[in-house]
Amino acid sequence: MTNVGARYIARGKTDAADRLLEADGPLAVLNRDCGGEVGSTLAIPELLALVGKAREYGFRLSRQFRAVDGRQRISAWVDIAPMGDAEGCEIAVASWHIDEIAPESEAEASLRRTEIHRHLAECTMRLDPSQRVYSIETDAPDLVEFAKVVGEGAGRPWTEFVILPTQVHEQPVHWRLLDGTTCRIAGSDRDWTACLEPLGQPEPGSAGFVLHLNASLPLASDNDSGNGTTPSLGRDLTPVLRQPINRIIANAETIRTRLAGPLREEYSDYAADIASAGQHLLALIDDLSDLEVVEAEDFATAPDRIDVGDVARRACGILGVRAKERGIMLDPPAEGESQLATAEFRRVLQVLLNLIGNAIRYSPKESRIWVRLDSIGNRAMITVADQGHGLDEQQQEKVFEKFERLGRGEDGGSGLGLYISRRIARAMGGDLTVESAPGQGARFTLSVPLADG
């Protein structure tokens, strides 16, 4: 190797295919930590791009490159000199600076894992604090019968519906012992991993759990429908689209959080953008699927005797982390406050999640969102009030229209949530209304029939 001078702290040499032939000092260490070795392609992404440019255009480069090595962020200045036609380059490192990256807290790591599990899940259950099931959602074709059995057995521990590696005798088993366990499900040939997301503070699980069931393998698709009918978004396309999009989101989150190895900050940001776009696309698909359902002529709900106070507290528990991330205080109905109504539990929860989610999206930081119960005549009322910018009279008239995004910036959803929510409310014999004024926040009120007695 040509002597590059004593002012350099590390040296290296690549060939015409950008394979690293020689390296010493911190350059060799960093390349190894990035997963490379002598004789293989240079493994430091940004340095590889500079070497390729110098080799291709045949001129000398003096540039800075950056890399992430575990919990260290490295910036270095290099001189790169091409060695001639059809040859590689000499690399000389002139400076090397290291900044420590703050270690990820246990809470941050837990949130990250939960986010990945959430997007990989093909089946989701809502559980009470004793891990008893009160709702299930799945689009997996091999879990149709399983979902029916679980729905009919609501109120029993979820562990009774799956086959665990070891027999569970005492209920409930502490959720931490079940988090991450592998199980089998009758009717499915795939292995499933159970991931429990605890709700409630300060004691995790005090407000119940969200159970995410992730499959070991994607389900083989069956394209032989052969019936000549037009595919339905809700029935046919949503399950097909959801699985690859969830994989994209989960993989982007893996890249963003550097689980796959060291990565420069900018590339982590790109992965975050991919995950965010995937989440937006998935929400749009869900809304379009719901739109098809609620606009069907035979759409109907399954009314039951429910406590809307309990539903409201559960909705606040589910969205509590999102509100906290935005510095917003959620104020649910007080424990023990009850309002019995005749409505479908799952649909009321869906509407409240939409209303509270919108309030979080459009409320300023350090503000408050109230969820309150009331009754007028034969109607039970649940009101979600925020301290956002509010709506003028014209916006209040348009807010329940299809694809109306409230006119409050670019951070909105598909513009279908409130339209779908009102259709659901009216199908249950109730309604969804809004009261607001510019600068005074908004009050969305869901009304459903009071329960007899």
Side-chain angles (χ1 to χ4, degrees):
M1 178 183 290
T2 303
N3 188 348
V4 295
R7 67 190 180 93
Y8 296 114
I9 61 175
R11 299 174 297 175
K13 181 186 288 187
T14 60
D15 66 8
D18 298 333
R19 290 186 290 259
L20 186 64
L21 302 179
E22 302 175 22
D24 60 15
L27 180 63
V29 175
L30 178 60
N31 186 73
R32 184 176 63 249
D33 289 345
C34 288
E37 57 184 19
V38 173
S40 299
T41 302
L42 184 63
I44 307 167
E46 193 167 337
L47 180 57
L48 174 63
L50 293 175
V51 167
K53 183 179 293 186
R55 175 185 49 74
E56 181 178 355
Y57 294 105
F59 53 70
R60 189 184 188 97
L61 286 178
S62 293
R63 298 283 176 84
Q64 185 183 56
F65 77 87
R66 297 181 178 85
V68 175
D69 177 15
R71 289 298 168 192
Q72 295 180 331
R73 185 178 290 112
I74 295 164
S75 59
W77 191 272
V78 293
D79 292 334
I80 304 171
M83 295 188 294
D85 294 339
E87 295 188 35
C89 298
E90 287 189 334
I91 304 168
V93 181
S95 68
W96 195 273
H97 181 72
I98 298 175
D99 288 324
E100 294 292 331
I101 302 174
E104 185 179 52
S105 69
E106 184 178 345
E108 290 171 335
S110 177
L111 284 175
R112 171 175 50 77
R113 288 192 298 269
T114 298
E115 190 70 15
I116 293 172
H117 291 320
R118 183 180 296 130
H119 291 297
L120 284 175
E122 293 186 50
C123 179
T124 300
M125 296 188 210
R126 308 290 184 185
L127 312 177
D128 69 9
S130 297
Q131 300 181 45
R132 293 188 293 262
V133 180
Y134 67 84
S135 71
I136 180 171
E137 297 176 8
T138 182
D139 289 320
D142 54 342
L143 297 187
V144 172
E145 187 61 30
F146 171 71
K148 180 181 178 181
V149 172
V150 173
E152 293 173 348
R156 293 159 51 192
W158 70 272
T159 50
E160 293 186 9
F161 300 100
V162 300
I163 305 168
L164 295 170
T166 57
Q167 185 67 29
V168 177
H169 297 285
E170 184 180 351
Q171 297 290 346
V173 177
H174 194 280
W175 69 272
R176 292 190 186 277
L177 298 177
L178 295 171
D179 185 33
T181 192
T182 300
C183 60
R184 300 282 296 176
I185 296 175
S188 173
D189 294 329
R190 298 185 286 173
D191 290 324
W192 297 83
T193 300
C195 304
L196 284 155
E197 177 184 351
L199 306 175
Q201 292 295 336
E203 179 63 31
S206 59
F209 302 86
V210 180
L211 172 64
H212 307 287
L213 288 173
N214 306 325
S216 56
L217 296 170
L219 188 66
S221 60
D222 182 7
N223 297 320
D224 301 326
S225 55
N227 54 18
T229 60
T230 302
S232 159
L233 178 65
R235 183 187 66 249
D236 301 320
L237 298 184
T238 296
V240 175
L241 292 172
R242 182 190 295 276
Q243 191 175 57
I245 294 174
N246 275 329
R247 296 280 174 182
I248 290 170
I249 295 170
N251 288 334
E253 284 292 327
T254 299
I255 296 170
R256 180 185 70 81
T257 54
R258 300 183 177 90
L259 287 178
L263 188 70
R264 182 178 163 183
E265 190 70 27
E266 288 87 338
Y267 293 105
S268 177
D269 292 340
Y270 297 154
D273 290 341
I274 294 171
S276 178
Q279 290 163 357
H280 183 80
L281 180 58
L282 196 60
L284 177 60
I285 290 171
D286 287 338
D287 283 346
L288 290 172
S289 177
D290 283 338
L291 179 65
E292 180 183 1
V293 171
V294 301
E295 288 191 330
E297 292 183 2
D298 59 350
F299 173 63
T301 61
D304 197 1
R305 186 181 177 91
I306 66 170
D307 179 2
V308 293
D310 176 59
V311 183
R313 284 186 288 272
R314 293 181 188 275
C316 289
I318 292 168
L319 295 175
V321 172
R322 187 190 304 177
K324 188 175 181 180
E325 288 174 348
R326 294 180 61 91
I328 295 171
M329 177 66 180
L330 269 183
D331 190 350
E335 284 294 334
E337 187 176 358
S338 177
Q339 182 74 275
L340 297 180
T342 302
E344 183 176 347
F345 179 95
R346 182 172 67 91
R347 294 298 186 182
V348 172
L349 181 63
Q350 179 181 351
V351 173
L352 290 180
L353 288 174
N354 179 256
L355 297 180
I356 299 170
N358 279 346
I360 294 171
R361 179 181 294 120
Y362 296 118
S363 293
K365 291 184 177 181
E366 308 303 326
S367 65
R368 198 178 190 95
I369 296 171
W370 294 269
V371 183
R372 293 292 179 262
L373 308 180
D374 199 355
S375 64
I376 298 178
N378 62 351
R379 296 287 183 91
M381 326 282 285
I382 314 103
T383 297
V384 178
D386 63 50
Q387 294 179 304
H389 299 298
L391 302 168
D392 60 31
E393 291 185 3
Q394 184 178 9
Q395 289 174 321
Q396 291 178 52
E397 292 176 359
K398 296 175 61 179
V399 76
F400 294 105
E401 295 179 3
K402 275 192 288 190
F403 302 108
E404 174 55 47
R405 296 177 62 194
L406 302 178
R408 292 190 273 183
E410 299 179 357
D411 191 33
S414 65
L416 289 170
L418 290 174
Y419 172 81
I420 292 169
S421 294
R422 174 175 269 187
R423 297 276 301 206
I424 291 172
R426 290 179 173 176
M428 293 189 294
D431 204 353
L432 180 60
T433 58
V434 62
E435 296 176 76
S436 185
Q440 298 182 23
R443 290 166 47 88
F444 285 88
T445 300
L446 169 66
S447 64
V448 292
L450 277 171
D452 294 337

